[in-house]
Amino acid sequence: MLEELSALLRVCPPTATRLDYVKATVEDNCLGKQTLSTRRLTLQRMTELYALDASVPLFRLLRRFWYEDERSQGQLALLVSVARDPLFRATAPVVLAMSVGEEIARQRFTDAIRGAVDGRLNDETLDKVVRNAASSWTQSGHFDGRSRKKRMQVEPTAVSAAFALMLGYMLGLRGRSLFDSLFARVLDRDENALTFLAMGAKRLGLLDIKSGGGMTVVSFDAIFTEREKRLIHGTH
């Protein structure tokens, strides 16, 4: 739902509340949906995927990074989807295992999602999930083409690299292991390239990074709230 998310965050200010997003989507119809029921359904789906509530750390941080660089937005949305949507996350290993130029094999997506849900989806629903997942990976730059999608190498930015490292950090990873998380690998770059991008993110104030002597230390103290720090590190 990259198009809808982009439109909503473009209309609402960076300080918008949960009620502001509801009003913009349902009452003001900023997404141009034809019926009230469609507006409400769109809001429900976007809330499930992105939360649309600044009290949820992942959405607050998505919004913090979103306005830094428009080129990064597709990758930021993808990274949040990988973090929050288990069905979509199940397709990540399939994408990462593909070579540049290789054509997507829908059956691999189908098998990955079927395994994640343990047979709980019927064939019609499963096919829809596969189509949506393939579309999402295309919007992020991992695939090119319509009916025949081929694997592309994405071009991460300093902003998307910082966000990927931050997601790993929130899960408890530290040091060099941050550069080998699923989120980091989604960006199609090795540790050296991501370190270079992270240095650029440091200049933007998105993280702090020190690298030398075979050690890399990354922290995000400048962008986490005190509540978020307690959630990540614990109270002691």
Side-chain angles (χ1 to χ4, degrees), residues 121-136:
L121 298 182
N122 61 40
D123 289 344
E124 182 180 354
T125 302
L126 186 61
D127 185 63
K128 181 178 180 181
V129 173
V130 169
R131 290 198 308 271
N132 289 342
S135 175
S136 295

Side-chain angles (χ1 to χ4, degrees), residues 19-234:
L19 291 179
D20 292 330
Y21 295 120
V22 173
K23 182 177 183 299
T25 305
V26 178
E27 297 182 24
D28 300 339
N29 194 23
C30 71
L31 303 181
K33 302 299 180 180
Q34 293 185 347
T35 66
L36 180 60
S37 61
T38 305
R39 298 175 207 171
R40 288 174 173 166
L41 181 59
T42 299
L43 176 66
Q44 176 186 334
R45 290 177 173 170
M46 291 185 67
T47 301
E48 291 170 352
L49 191 54
Y50 298 109
L52 303 183
D53 185 343
S55 68
V56 177
L58 196 52
F59 177 71
R60 187 194 74 81
L61 291 162
L62 168 66
R63 195 170 62 178
R64 168 70 175 82
F65 282 66
W66 188 266
Y67 299 102
E68 289 285 346
D69 180 7
E70 186 175 350
R71 298 172 304 158
S72 307
Q73 291 173 357
Q75 293 171 21
L76 294 177
L78 177 100
L79 287 165
V80 173
S81 299
V82 170
R84 285 180 59 93
D85 185 341
L87 294 187
F88 185 67
R89 185 165 58 247
T91 65
V94 177
V95 176
L96 296 178
M98 294 176 65
S99 302
V100 172
E102 183 179 351
E103 189 172 331
I104 184 175
R106 286 177 58 87
Q107 190 59 47
R108 295 184 193 173
F109 266 37
T110 302
D111 291 344
I113 295 171
R114 181 180 284 117
V117 300
D118 195 24
R120 292 190 299 273
L121 298 182
N122 61 40
D123 289 344
E124 182 180 354
T125 302
L126 186 61
D127 185 63
K128 181 178 180 181
V129 173
V130 169
R131 290 198 308 271
N132 289 342
S135 175
S136 295
W137 286 108
T138 303
Q139 291 176 51
S140 66
H142 287 79
F143 290 123
D144 185 40
R146 294 182 64 85
S147 58
R148 301 181 63 180
K149 299 180 183 295
K150 293 185 178 181
R151 180 72 158 91
M152 306 292 290
Q153 186 177 52
V154 299
E155 295 290 338
T157 67
V159 173
S160 61
F163 196 78
L165 296 175
M166 183 197 69
L167 290 173
Y169 189 93
M170 293 174 75
L171 290 178
L173 300 179
R174 297 293 183 269
R176 299 180 68 175
S177 62
L178 286 169
F179 297 84
D180 194 41
S181 73
L182 175 61
F183 307 109
R185 286 186 284 118
V186 158
L187 296 181
D188 288 343
R189 290 296 185 274
D190 61 18
E191 180 179 342
N192 289 334
L194 289 175
T195 299
F196 178 80
L197 289 170
M199 293 296 183
K202 179 179 179 179
R203 291 190 288 271
L204 296 173
L206 298 176
L207 53 72
D208 188 30
I209 180 170
K210 298 176 183 178
S211 183
M215 295 185 62
T216 301
V217 178
V218 181
S219 64
F220 296 88
D221 287 347
I223 65 168
F224 287 142
T225 65
E226 291 302 317
R227 172 177 172 268
E228 289 163 353
K229 291 176 185 177
R230 290 193 299 270
L231 289 172
I232 295 168
H233 300 293

